[in-house]
Amino acid sequence: MQLLNRRRKNTLGLVIASLILVVFLFIYSDTGSPPAFNETADENRGSEFYLIHAASRQYDEAGNIDTTINSSQIKHNPVNNSIKIADPLIILHDQGLTQWQISAQSGVVYNEGEKIDLSQQVVIVSNDETTSLKTPQLFIYPNQKLADTEQPVTLHSANGFTRALV
C-alpha cells in the first residue's frame, strides 16, 4: 500500500514538473506568445547585464556615505566597459550629510565611476534647496568632487539667477 502511495506521489510530482516545464517553454519560445517584459529583454540583448530599479551606495574611508546613485534601469556595455543609466538620481554627501542632488533623463558611467556623463534636463539642487543649476549636459568626476559642462547653464540662488551661454 505504501508503495502505491509513493508511486502516486512520484507520478503527481512528475506531472506537475512537466506542466511547469511546458508552460515555461511555451512562454519563452519563439512560437509562443512572449510575456509583457520581453520587450525590455530584447532591448538589452547587446548588454552584458542590466538591472531594473538599481541603487548604488559608496562610502568614504571613515565609513560615511559618500555617493548614492539610483536609476530606473542600468545597462552594461562590454565593448567600452561603460554603464548606461536611465533617469539617474545622484546624491552627493559630505561626511554622511546630503549636500547635492543631481537628476537627469539619462547618463553614462565610464572608467568604473571615475566619469559620469549626464544628459537631457540635468538639474542640480542643493540640500537646503536654495541653489539650483540647470543644463542640458554635465560631466561629473565623483572622485575629484568636480563637475563641468560646455553647454548653457542657468544658476538659481537666493540672490537671483545667472545664465552662462556658450
Side-chain angles (χ1 to χ4, degrees):
M1 195 66 158
Q2 282 184 338
L3 182 60
L4 186 58
N5 285 338
R6 186 178 295 160
R7 280 189 183 169
R8 282 186 185 167
K9 288 180 183 178
N10 288 343
T11 303
L12 182 61
L14 184 60
V15 168
I16 291 172
S18 298
L19 283 173
I20 292 172
L21 179 62
V22 168
V23 169
F24 179 82
L25 290 175
F26 179 75
I27 289 174
Y28 289 101
S29 72
D30 290 334
T31 59
S33 59
F37 60 83
N38 203 23
E39 291 176 308
T40 304
D42 287 342
E43 293 174 3
N44 296 318
R45 285 199 179 153
S47 301
E48 186 176 55
F49 67 83
Y50 68 96
L51 298 171
I52 306 295
H53 303 296
S56 170
R57 288 173 181 72
Q58 297 175 350
Y59 297 87
D60 62 17
E61 296 81 24
N64 296 315
I65 191 154
D66 187 53
T67 306
T68 303
I69 301 176
N70 296 310
S71 176
S72 63
Q73 183 179 55
I74 66 170
K75 298 178 190 179
H76 179 256
N77 181 349
V79 175
N80 63 0
N81 197 26
S82 66
I83 298 175
K84 184 177 178 181
I85 50 180
D87 305 314
L89 173 62
I90 302 170
I91 302 171
L92 303 175
H93 305 269
D94 185 28
Q95 297 178 355
L97 301 173
T98 301
Q99 298 298 312
W100 300 96
Q101 291 189 19
I102 307 167
S103 62
Q105 288 184 355
S106 65
V108 181
V109 179
Y110 297 100
N111 301 327
E112 298 179 10
E114 289 182 25
K115 178 182 175 183
I116 302 172
D117 177 3
L118 298 176
S119 58
Q120 301 176 13
Q121 299 179 359
V122 180
V123 178
I124 302 175
V125 179
S126 65
N127 185 42
D128 59 5
E129 298 182 0
T130 59
T131 306
S132 68
L133 180 138
K134 296 180 182 179
T135 185
Q137 184 178 31
L138 185 70
F139 297 100
I140 301 174
Y141 304 90
N143 297 340
Q144 301 171 21
K145 305 279 188 202
L146 178 71
D148 71 10
T149 186
E150 294 182 6
Q151 299 295 316
V153 173
T154 302
L155 175 66
H156 290 268
S157 69
N159 298 328
F161 70 94
T162 303
R163 286 194 182 144
L165 304 175
V166 178

